Amino acid sequence: MDSLPDLSGRTALVTGSAKRVGRELLLSIAECGADVAVHYNESDAAAAATADEVRDRGGVAITAQGDITDPASVDELFETIESELGPVDILVNNVGDFDARHWSEIDWESWQNVIETTFYGTVLCSRRAVPAMRDQEWGRIVNIGFADSNRMHAHPVNFPYFVAKTGVLMFTRMLATDTRNDGVTVNAVSPFAVSNTEAGVDAFPRGRPASFEDVAAPLQFFLSDAADYISGQNVAVDGGRMPEFDG
């Protein structure tokens, strides 16, 4: 296959794409020719800057605000995109807050926020996107997981995030089955730690976190025609990490 898929004529939404990993994933999709919606909830200035960068590179981009934990707001988000770019062909569910404290010290509001943004947001956006994908018999959904979630990672620190990401992987498999005859694929890309991490990297595989390009590579593959028969799968972008050998 070519190094980059041809996504010309497609419309892509990456949730939480104003900054950080979401921004880089959106730019990688725009590089493939898709028109893109830069989603944000509060980071309007950063979203505008990301959209400007896409346009500076010759692409088509809009910004779209929405609270992905609120069904009515998700509807408005999609309506904005549909009115300006057309139906969403590609959905990347990237948003996911976390709270890196011991589970017993995390206040209940933060527990709810982590679960709602990470898991419920993925469900709500997917549920809104799937009907149009079914109608046109083509769609790509890629959910951003966490590298250890398929192992039911259960560390007492940051625990609600691991619960939510495990739910995301379960949802990925379920939705892949539910759309298997509709021309839609649903997969997951699960990094461990990415370039913007603030953690020390000495103990990381290969002595570094994943680069943004490392995470974008399987995403672009899942969006390509070469992956048309691949659905319900999860790719861990972790450099070969095995937590049972971490000591």
Side-chain angles (χ1 to χ4, degrees):
M1 59 177 283
D2 294 335
S3 58
L4 294 177
D6 181 5
L7 301 178
S8 303
R10 303 296 185 187
T11 296
L13 165 62
V14 180
T15 63
S17 47
K19 300 184 291 185
R20 297 188 288 272
V21 177
R23 173 184 181 275
E24 300 302 325
L25 297 180
L26 178 129
L27 292 175
S28 76
I29 294 172
E31 186 181 1
C32 299
D35 299 340
V36 295
V38 183
H39 164 257
Y40 69 97
N41 189 17
E42 299 176 346
S43 304
D44 53 340
T50 298
D52 284 343
E53 182 164 349
V54 173
R55 298 184 195 110
D56 289 344
R57 297 181 182 185
V60 175
I62 65 167
T63 61
Q65 189 275 337
D67 177 358
I68 63 163
T69 69
D70 176 22
S73 186
V74 169
D75 277 338
E76 293 175 3
L77 167 65
F78 275 78
E79 287 167 4
T80 296
I81 298 167
E82 290 162 351
S83 67
E84 297 193 45
L85 299 177
V88 172
D89 306 298
I90 296 164
L91 170 64
V92 179
N93 287 304
N94 166 70
V95 168
D97 289 344
F98 66 94
D99 191 319
R101 290 182 285 177
H102 189 275
W103 73 272
S104 62
E105 298 173 353
I106 300 173
D107 59 89
W108 190 240
E109 183 178 359
S110 185
W111 269 81
Q112 291 175 306
N113 179 64
V114 172
I115 299 296
E116 289 177 359
T117 58
T118 305
F119 181 57
Y120 292 163
T122 294
V123 173
L124 287 172
C125 289
S126 298
R127 188 168 67 175
R128 183 58 176 77
V130 163
M133 293 180 177
R134 280 181 163 140
D135 286 345
Q136 64 190 13
E137 300 182 336
W138 196 96
R140 297 287 188 268
I141 297 176
V142 179
N143 300 320
I144 303 303
F146 176 74
D148 294 340
S149 294
N150 61 330
R151 303 182 178 102
M152 297 187 69
H153 190 67
H155 197 282
V157 172
N158 206 18
F159 182 69
Y161 181 77
F162 302 137
V163 169
K165 287 299 188 183
T166 300
V168 166
L169 294 188
M170 292 178 67
F171 180 73
T172 299
R173 295 179 62 196
M174 180 281 295
L175 190 56
T177 297
D178 195 46
T179 58
R180 61 185 175 181
N181 296 318
D182 301 323
V184 178
T185 67
V186 187
N187 293 289
V189 174
S190 296
F192 170 58
V194 190
S195 295
N196 60 332
T197 182
E198 297 179 1
V201 301
D202 291 343
F204 287 5
R206 305 170 194 269
R208 65 174 180 84
S211 68
F212 294 126
E213 292 78 11
D214 291 329
V215 182
L219 168 66
Q220 290 174 335
F221 171 69
F222 283 140
L223 302 183
S224 71
D225 290 339
D228 187 61
Y229 200 69
I230 299 174
S231 196
Q233 301 306 305
N234 173 52
V235 172
V237 185
D238 60 4
R241 177 177 180 269
M242 296 186 71
E244 57 266 42
F245 292 112
D246 285 352

